[in-house]
Amino acid sequence: MSAHDHHLDGHLPHEPEKATLEGRNKILGFWLFLGAETVLFGTLFAAFIALRHQTLDGPTADHLFELPMVFAATMILLVSSLASVFAVQALHQHKVKAMIVWLIITILLGLSFLGLEIYEFNTYVSEGHKLTTSAFSSSFYTLVGFHGAHVAFGVLWIGLLIAQIFKKGLTVVTAPKIYVSAIYWHFIDVVWVFIFTVVYLMGKVG
Amino acid sequence: MDWLTTVDHKKIGILYLIAGGLFFLVGGLEAILIRIQLIKPMNDFVGADTFNQLITMHGTTMIFLAAMPMLFALMNAVIPLQIGARDVAFPFLNSLGFWTFFAGGVLLNISWFAGDIPDAGWTSYVPLAGPMYAGGHGVDFYLMGLQIAGIGTLIGGINFMATIINMRAPGMSFMRMPMFTWTIFITSALIVFAFPVLTVGLVALTFDRLFQANFFETGNGGNTVLWEHIFWVFGHPEVYILILPAFGVISEVISTFSRKRLFGYSSMVFATVLIAFLGFMVWAHHMFTTGLGPVANGLFSIATMLIAVPTGVKIFNWLFTLWGGSISFTSASLFAIGFIPTFVMGGVTGVMLAVAPADFQYHDTYFVVAHFHYVIVGGLIFGIFSGLHYWWPKMFGRVLNEKLGKATFWTFFIGFHLTFFIQHFLGLIGMPRRVWTYLPGQDFDTMNAVSTVGAFLMGIGTIIFVINVIVSAANKSPVADDPWEDGRSLEWSIPSPPPEYNFKQTPLVRSYDAWWNEKQKGNAEMPPAEPVGPIHMPSPSILPLIMSIGLFVAALGFMYDHLVVAIAGLVVTFGSMFCRSVFDDHGFHIEPEEQEKGVHA
């Protein structure tokens, strides 16, 4: 059952991420962690919804948000999720090269999303919308910033995994890591869909 | 050194017990100081400021640094054994969870030496805890300490959920799991869904205090009631996180020492799940007087009272288990039997408080103090004492002295009721909580003096327990695998203390109360589910300790505005994560020949 019994014998099972108990534990544990993350973002959303009209003299959501740019960011992130789906498919077919290519595409799209977000935050600050401006601004930057930090962490993490694949190849040890990082990536994508709806769309229409 | 790097769940359990026990003594000392201050009217033993610091640290320490770690101690010591597992799902994370809890606890308590002590109550209500009324770094210690300790708790919750789902021995279906395992499973689920709420609350208040954000700054549009909602959405499940494991311990102990199958096992499981669910739905009963309005108050009032139903199911099941059993009154079973009436009283005052209009009367009086000490001390601490006396031989290979154990029980039990029973009446005649002194001639004097005497008795009971631990450590006589001779679950089928791999062969579970059943059939050991073979073990690691130290340093850096220190701390933590990820830990194997020699933990 142990990890290295499997990867020495040369042929990987179809779903190498679930081949060992360690791998299955890792996947289950990660789903539970995402349960906790859901509550974390749920609470941040609740705080934002409670405070989103408390703009005082600062800029309002309607005044700040530029939907075309946020829409572009949304599309970029959705496509990156698709790329990570292809990466996991390649993993199941043991096509290591294709997997690495799709992973690189995933993090490149993640990086462009982050670039847009930094540009966006920068614009807002120049318009007088700082963390300290109002309760609306504090909850906005905390919610959207937490998501951004998750994207940044994901980019670093997947980058590190690519390096590991180069070093160790696809084994029953590395496969679960790739698999859970893909789940993570979908998760931050889903959270973004909620942010797009609750923060940006509801901000525009009241 | 071995202890700093261990990933063995049994050793981590002992570490939790030592650390939690030390914090229990600290929190107890704070309680004694509080009671000395209140022994007579117009006392000036400690000043008003110190009193606020004492009650804040007493509550925070007891809940987060004493009660929860001691539960984690029992979880770690027992759960993998009860389900027939070689280990927990994530041994490395288990160690990390302990060290982050410990780092957070130390951070909170160095506030006493930094001279900036949290003083806004364990609930840390804003605006009292905001930058306006709590300058200095006191509340920052609270925020950072709990944030770091909370990481450890969340990790523990995920770990034990995954362990119980994925690592049960063959034949151990969900409805054959021992009751303690069931309650820990549900508790872990509560941890996973409640602690992130606290995380967000702490982050928001930290941003308010350190970066001038406005979550709770009413002047800039913030909302103070938001803190109350966030805190209690976490805080109310938290009391069930504390009490459900105690229910589990009581179920095991009562069934063992009555020599009977637990009465109504499946209704116990259902009651546990129902209590956990309702526990999440009733947070706003802590906020009846906040002005939520009659409809919200009414709904939360009724929902709260509903919890009495599954709890009553449990109480009656324990009574029916005792009924007609051949009960042996060991120290463990005394604590379990003493638990029942005590917890019922705490439950009854809970229903009284759940009546929203009546709550306006009791609110913020000593009646509330009496109520929650009845459920937390009379419930949880009795449960922990019971569990410790029960599992001590399994954890340490030594039995605790029965005479000293009974002395602990009687002094603690009498001291407890002396302290807190009378506080119901103090509350009903109008003594407010959180006041540091009171005027003479209000009928408060005698009752407060009695209450303080009771607190000293509890202190003596605790000291007797510590003496018992020392005495038992000196007593070298070895302990049988099943020292109570009535053990029912799998942990009693292996040596005390267990070898580091727990089970030489994974057992095959054939019924509920698996070990009891095999004994009834005349079998001397569990039937194995696999042939003897090499056992894979994880390697020890120092990284969890280093990661926790990194977080500790980073927290101090953020608090005192030294960005360089903060970043250095984070670099240490993330660097360790990097190392963990890049260098694979293949662990090692224990071969069958070595198993014969009996490698002990």
Side-chain angles (χ1 to χ4, degrees), chain A residues 86-188:
Chain A
F86 288 141
V88 170
Q89 264 190 349
L91 179 149
H92 284 159
Q93 294 156 358
H94 307 156
K95 293 178 181 159
V96 180
K97 254 192 205 146
M99 183 180 85
I100 290 175
V101 169
W102 284 117
L103 287 177
I104 290 174
I105 294 175
T106 308
I107 58 174
L108 284 180
L109 289 167
L111 280 173
S112 23
F113 172 85
L114 276 179
L116 267 183
E117 186 153 272
I118 291 166
Y119 170 78
E120 182 198 357
F121 280 12
N122 213 19
T123 318
Y124 294 165
V125 171
S126 68
E127 291 174 40
H129 183 67
K130 299 183 187 126
L131 182 76
T132 54
T133 307
S134 63
F136 162 65
S137 72
S138 298
S139 56
F140 169 82
Y141 281 117
T142 310
L143 170 60
V144 183
F146 249 67
H147 176 268
H150 274 74
V151 176
F153 180 82
V155 166
L156 285 176
W157 182 22
I158 297 174
L160 194 64
L161 290 183
I162 294 172
Q164 283 193 42
I165 296 292
F166 272 121
K167 198 174 139 217
K168 300 171 192 163
L170 186 61
T171 68
V172 289
V173 179
T174 49
K177 296 183 183 184
I178 301 287
Y179 188 78
V180 294
S181 74
I183 306 176
Y184 175 85
W185 198 258
H186 296 317
F187 173 78
I188 52 180

Side-chain angles (χ1 to χ4, degrees), chain B residues 184-237:
Chain B
I184 293 299
F185 180 56
I186 301 297
T187 295
S188 302
L190 284 179
I191 288 174
V192 170
F193 293 113
F195 263 76
V197 181
L198 177 69
T199 306
V200 172
L202 294 175
V203 164
L205 188 52
T206 307
F207 280 14
D208 273 15
R209 289 181 59 87
L210 297 184
F211 310 130
Q212 290 81 49
N214 303 306
F215 283 97
F216 311 118
E217 283 303 314
T218 38
N220 293 331
N223 187 337
T224 51
V225 178
L226 180 64
W227 169 266
E228 291 192 45
H229 277 296
I230 291 177
F231 187 84
W232 287 114
V233 168
F234 147 75
H236 197 74

Side-chain angles (χ1 to χ4, degrees), chain B residues 99-371:
Chain B
W99 288 111
T100 47
F101 139 68
F102 191 64
V106 171
L107 185 67
L108 250 173
N109 275 283
I110 58 168
S111 64
W112 288 111
F113 304 100
D116 264 337
I117 305 129
D119 56 359
W122 89 278
T123 54
S124 209
Y125 276 0
V126 286
L128 201 57
M132 175 91 83
Y133 294 98
H137 293 295
V139 176
D140 299 337
F141 274 109
Y142 170 97
L143 296 169
M144 292 294 180
L146 286 192
Q147 193 68 276
I148 295 175
I151 299 171
T153 311
L154 181 65
I155 289 175
I158 292 174
N159 198 353
F160 277 89
M161 267 189 102
T163 304
I164 294 171
I165 293 173
N166 259 6
M167 309 211 16
R168 281 166 294 130
M172 172 73 75
S173 63
F174 269 95
M175 291 312 275
R176 283 181 186 172
M177 289 195 318
M179 206 51 222
F180 182 61
T181 303
W182 253 114
T183 55
I184 293 299
F185 180 56
I186 301 297
T187 295
S188 302
L190 284 179
I191 288 174
V192 170
F193 293 113
F195 263 76
V197 181
L198 177 69
T199 306
V200 172
L202 294 175
V203 164
L205 188 52
T206 307
F207 280 14
D208 273 15
R209 289 181 59 87
L210 297 184
F211 310 130
Q212 290 81 49
N214 303 306
F215 283 97
F216 311 118
E217 283 303 314
T218 38
N220 293 331
N223 187 337
T224 51
V225 178
L226 180 64
W227 169 266
E228 291 192 45
H229 277 296
I230 291 177
F231 187 84
W232 287 114
V233 168
F234 147 75
H236 197 74
E238 167 71 11
V239 305
Y240 292 94
I241 292 171
L242 295 174
I243 200 63
L244 286 178
F247 286 174
V249 173
I250 300 302
S251 302
E252 302 279 308
V253 170
I254 282 188
S255 145
T256 300
F257 291 106
S258 310
R259 300 196 185 92
K260 273 178 69 186
R261 188 186 202 272
L262 183 65
F263 186 93
Y265 170 78
S266 37
S267 67
M268 285 296 230
V269 171
F270 185 65
T272 309
V273 177
L274 196 59
I275 291 171
F277 175 75
L278 290 174
F280 253 107
M281 300 292 135
V282 299
W283 77 92
H285 69 211
H286 295 267
M287 302 162 65
F288 282 153
T289 61
T290 312
L292 300 177
V295 175
N297 279 1
L299 287 173
F300 280 100
S301 186
I302 291 165
T304 304
M305 291 177 205
L306 280 181
I307 298 181
V309 178
T311 313
V313 168
K314 280 184 168 275
I315 300 283
F316 280 107
N317 280 340
W318 289 321
L319 292 179
F320 288 136
T321 308
L322 286 165
W323 190 286
S326 63
I327 306 166
S328 52
F329 291 97
T330 59
S331 318
S333 81
L334 279 179
F335 270 110
I337 293 167
F339 164 97
I340 298 176
T342 312
F343 190 78
V344 168
M345 287 171 65
V348 168
T349 52
V351 177
M352 289 169 76
L353 285 163
V355 183
D359 182 69
F360 276 77
Q361 192 66 24
Y362 312 132
H363 181 74
D364 265 350
T365 69
Y366 262 75
F367 189 85
V368 178
V369 177
H371 160 69

Side-chain angles (χ1 to χ4, degrees), chain B residues 28 31-32 35-36 39 377 408 410-423 446-462:
Chain B
I32 296 271
R35 282 316 316 170
I36 293 176
I39 195 168
V377 182
T408 309
W410 286 113
T411 37
F412 200 89
F413 186 77
I414 293 169
F416 166 77
H417 283 283
L418 215 53
T419 308
F420 294 110
F421 187 68
I422 213 158
Q423 289 185 1
T446 323
M447 287 198 257
N448 268 299
V450 171
S451 188
T452 302
V453 172
F456 272 99
L457 264 182
M458 279 196 277
I460 294 170
T462 311

Side-chain angles (χ1 to χ4, degrees), chain B residues 5-16:
Chain B
T5 60
T6 185
V7 291
D8 179 357
H9 65 91
K10 296 175 288 296
K11 283 189 167 181
I12 290 172
I14 291 170
L15 285 173
Y16 267 117

